[in-house]
Amino acid sequence: MHWRLGTTGYYNEGWRGPFFPPALPKSKWLGHYATQFDTIEMNNTFHRAPDEVRVRRWSEQVPDSFRFCVKAWRGITHDAPLSEARRSTELFLEPLRSFEHKLGIVLFQLPPDCGINQFAALEVLLGSLPTDIRFAIEFRNATWFCSEVDQLLSSHRVARVAAELERHPESKDATPTADFVYARLLGRHGRFQSDDHELFDPTPLLRQWHARLATATLGQSETAWVFINNDLAGHAPATLRRFADIAGVELPQHRPPETVVKQGKLFDM
């Protein structure tokens, strides 16, 4: 099984110093990130759909082996009825094709007030999706977790997201519905005031998730995509490295940014 490990976004000011070199311009943060991990979940696309120029700019900053997972624009999933999502999805996907082979998974996240009563609308949306792009969907309403929905997702090779969400324990279910699994270890949004270091050791939780995903993928899925954010333990890059160690994934050695020491004068004048 192949593991793809990344964080949910990278534009975190608290990462300057412990992860990003202090003097590195933000315009080069993505390139630096890509020297440490081989995938990322772009969450800013949820708030603003990217155009082709921006997609190409992102793509040019990373190596060929890197993969972008992209969270679908909220105008598709949150700001309009799911029954109207088909056309807006087509428009959203068009510029993403500029990623070419660097496009990994497109993630749909449905809001908590969207339940299985929207099954027919979801069926129409999934039936309209292009087959040359892979998709995952995250449910935040417990009514979606049933065999009928899993069968629908499997028929379209769409992965049901397994997630660590405090208010949605049912999301831990990692039943595979595609030839890959997609996990988001998120915790509780806004639980920490800082994001520059881990605030506790999440190893026991990470071991649980590794076992859950390894079991889910055994003989059924080829790749496990795992994304971690700051809300899980305080500092996503460090937590992701913990998970990599558990999974036996070798990551590039991270060297703490060098501290610039100003040499004082030998004599006071």
Side-chain angles (χ1 to χ4, degrees):
M1 183 179 63
H2 180 58
W3 296 89
R4 286 271 187 182
L5 308 179
T7 61
T8 60
Y10 68 94
Y11 219 67
N12 300 281
E13 188 61 40
W15 293 10
R16 185 192 293 277
F19 183 73
F20 296 118
L24 188 71
K26 289 185 177 181
S27 60
K28 296 184 178 181
W29 278 13
L30 178 58
H32 176 82
Y33 174 97
T35 68
Q36 303 297 306
F37 306 118
D38 65 357
T39 187
I40 192 168
E41 185 183 275
M42 301 296 282
N43 278 317
N44 54 352
T45 55
F46 176 75
H47 301 284
R48 178 184 177 187
D51 56 22
E52 185 176 345
V53 173
R54 177 165 294 196
V55 168
R56 290 187 181 278
R57 186 181 303 129
W58 287 334
S59 185
E60 290 169 354
Q61 297 178 59
V62 302
D64 285 345
S65 59
F66 193 86
R67 296 293 181 269
F68 289 91
C69 291
V70 181
K71 189 174 180 181
W73 176 50
R74 64 172 297 141
I76 299 171
T77 56
H78 286 60
D79 298 338
L82 194 59
S83 58
E84 299 176 7
R86 181 172 180 171
R87 179 54 180 161
S88 54
T89 298
E90 292 175 353
L91 295 174
F92 178 77
L93 294 177
E94 187 174 346
L96 298 187
R97 292 190 177 279
S98 293
F99 277 128
E100 298 180 348
H101 66 277
K102 295 179 184 178
L103 178 61
I105 311 295
V106 175
L107 167 68
F108 292 105
Q109 181 192 89
L110 298 188
D113 62 356
C114 180
I116 200 171
N117 61 315
Q118 296 297 309
F119 183 93
L122 179 63
E123 188 174 24
V124 170
L125 173 61
L126 298 187
S128 70
L129 297 177
T131 58
D132 61 331
I133 297 177
R134 292 179 294 178
F135 297 90
I137 186 165
E138 181 183 274
F139 299 114
R140 296 196 171 187
N141 185 302
T143 60
W144 290 106
F145 291 82
C146 63
S147 60
E148 182 182 10
V149 173
D150 285 353
Q151 291 171 8
L152 173 65
L153 298 180
S154 296
S155 66
H156 294 284
R157 298 183 298 175
V158 174
R160 174 162 58 73
V161 171
E164 179 66 36
L165 288 165
E166 184 180 65
R167 296 181 181 178
H168 302 280
E170 67 279 355
S171 297
K172 289 183 171 67
D173 183 358
T175 301
T177 59
D179 62 354
F180 66 95
V181 294
Y182 195 106
R184 308 180 76 224
L185 309 189
L186 307 178
R188 184 176 77 244
H189 182 64
R191 67 189 297 196
F192 304 124
Q193 295 183 350
S194 65
D195 59 7
D196 58 357
H197 66 286
E198 288 184 305
L199 296 172
F200 67 94
D201 182 355
T203 298
L205 177 63
L206 298 180
R207 290 191 183 279
Q208 292 175 14
W209 269 101
H210 175 260
R212 182 178 295 125
L213 296 174
T215 300
T217 57
L218 187 62
Q220 301 184 56
S221 303
E222 299 174 357
T223 305
W225 302 74
V226 180
F227 296 95
I228 294 175
N229 75 356
N230 294 321
D231 294 325
L232 191 70
H235 184 62
T239 306
L240 191 61
R241 285 189 166 274
R242 287 183 186 272
F243 187 90
D245 288 342
I246 294 170
V249 177
E250 292 188 12
L251 296 176
Q253 183 177 4
H254 177 62
R255 298 179 179 177
E258 295 181 0
T259 301
V260 178
V261 179
K262 293 184 179 180
Q263 193 169 18
K265 295 180 180 181
L266 187 59
F267 300 103
D268 290 329
M269 301 297 291

